[in-house]
Amino acid sequence: MSLLYEGKAKRIFSTDEDGVLRVEYKDEVTAGNGAKKDHIDGKGRLNNQITSIIFEYLKEHGIQSHFIEQTSETEQLVRSVEIIPLEVVVRNIAAGSITRRLGFDKGHEFETPLVEFFYKNDDLNDPLITDDHVKLLNIANEEEIAKLKKMALEINKALVEMLDSINLRLVDFKIEFGRTKDGDILLADEISPDTCRIWEKDSDTNFDKDVYREDRGSIIDTYQTFLNKLEELK
Ligand code: UDP
């Protein structure tokens, strides 16, 4: 099967079946738009397993995604979609870029979840953009923008409830969406500790890529502990 695309953390291959792709999760980890980069054995397996559990959970809660099934430790089958070049970020608690950009203290709880759009463009360093920029760049129309925000908030609600039940807080996360051939919008890409901030309730422990960004320990132990907690849900 031919390689269609290789990103920082995944490879995408065609399959025999029309409209179905194979995703292989790589043992690579990057931060700061590739400024920090490492090969870490076992990391692909963890993100594939975690994303598979989360996409299954969302499906059971009425949220469709491109995910079809996990086929091996590091691989899954997904529906082919055209990725919308937006990183849609939802925040429940201030951390990361919003503390630097707007001066919120890390840990500040927002009264209502906040949705932000970043333009997926490595050359421009993925800038934060407004709804009007999204329209100006012909990324999505008004109706689609409303749909993306609605879906992002529904996904947030489902994930907050899921993590709450295993004593974790969902601080923020990034998702991507794609369009099917019929023009439907589906959740795509991955949801893993690479793309979320997850804090343990009543402790300083976190289960996400900040451990790697801030050199605070083993990313494998951290992601494995998070996967074990997710498995408690089953
Ligand atoms: N995020 C991501 N990919 C990116 C940028 C951010 O998955 O290219 C995730 C990040 O892990 C966090 C959320 O989106 O869960 C918000 O990230 P933020 O804007 O605070 O940026 P950062 O602090 O990571 O620079």
Side-chain angles (χ1 to χ4, degrees):
M1 296 302 110
S2 56
L3 177 68
L4 300 178
Y5 171 80
E6 177 155 6
K8 296 187 192 95
K10 297 187 283 289
R11 289 190 193 91
I12 315 277
F13 298 86
S14 61
T15 69
D16 288 339
E17 202 178 330
D18 194 32
V20 177
L21 304 177
R22 179 166 62 85
V23 182
E24 185 191 283
Y25 281 69
K26 305 198 296 184
D27 284 342
E28 305 296 327
V29 55
T30 64
N33 196 8
K36 183 169 153 90
K37 197 174 168 194
D38 283 288
H39 177 99
I40 300 183
D41 285 339
K43 192 253 182 192
R45 168 183 74 78
L46 289 165
N47 274 2
N48 182 47
Q49 285 175 292
I50 291 168
T51 293
S52 299
I53 292 174
I54 292 180
F55 280 170
E56 291 277 7
Y57 176 92
L58 289 175
K59 190 174 164 189
E60 284 162 19
H61 289 75
I63 295 159
Q64 301 302 323
S65 71
H66 73 158
F67 179 78
I68 301 172
E69 62 174 337
Q70 187 185 336
T71 50
S72 79
E73 279 206 325
T74 55
E75 296 162 301
Q76 55 182 245
L77 294 178
V78 302
R79 284 179 66 186
S80 166
V81 292
E82 192 189 326
I83 292 288
I84 298 171
L86 288 177
E87 300 202 330
V88 180
V89 169
V90 183
R91 301 180 189 274
N92 298 301
I93 298 171
S97 70
I98 199 163
T99 63
R100 301 188 290 270
R101 194 175 345 103
L102 298 179
F104 285 104
D105 288 334
K106 182 175 174 183
H108 172 90
E109 291 183 28
F110 298 117
E111 256 172 51
T112 52
L114 176 71
V115 181
E116 295 175 335
F117 292 134
F118 292 83
Y119 181 28
K120 241 172 95 78
N121 184 316
D122 282 344
D123 293 339
L124 298 177
N125 230 341
D126 300 344
L128 176 71
I129 58 174
T130 67
D131 292 9
D132 284 342
H133 293 143
V134 175
K135 284 186 263 177
L136 188 70
L137 290 162
N138 282 320
I139 295 171
N141 62 34
E142 187 117 25
E143 198 185 317
E144 289 174 325
I145 292 171
K147 185 162 186 198
L148 292 174
K149 287 186 186 171
K150 184 167 176 277
M151 288 174 77
L153 290 171
E154 285 168 359
I155 293 162
N156 182 53
K157 188 165 178 284
L159 293 179
V160 164
E161 280 172 17
M162 177 187 83
L163 294 173
D164 184 66
S165 72
I166 46 174
N167 214 31
L168 299 174
R169 298 204 291 167
L170 180 60
V171 173
D172 59 29
F173 61 97
K174 183 271 299 182
I175 43 181
E176 297 182 22
F177 292 91
R179 288 192 187 86
T180 65
K181 269 194 199 138
D182 306 328
D184 291 334
I185 292 180
L186 281 185
L187 172 63
D189 194 51
E190 68 177 282
I191 299 184
S192 73
D194 271 9
T195 62
C196 300
R197 285 195 173 91
I198 301 146
W199 294 354
E200 194 165 54
K201 284 188 208 169
D202 312 316
S203 95
D204 290 337
T205 308
N206 60 306
F207 295 102
D208 54 56
K209 202 161 80 172
D210 278 350
V211 169
Y212 172 75
R213 290 188 186 99
E214 298 164 10
D215 283 321
R216 284 196 280 114
S218 155
I219 195 170
I220 295 297
D221 292 350
T222 301
Y223 287 21
Q224 184 67 56
T225 307
F226 178 61
L227 173 60
N228 296 347
K229 286 175 184 285
L230 281 184
E231 281 174 341
E232 286 172 25
L233 284 168
K234 285 184 185 165

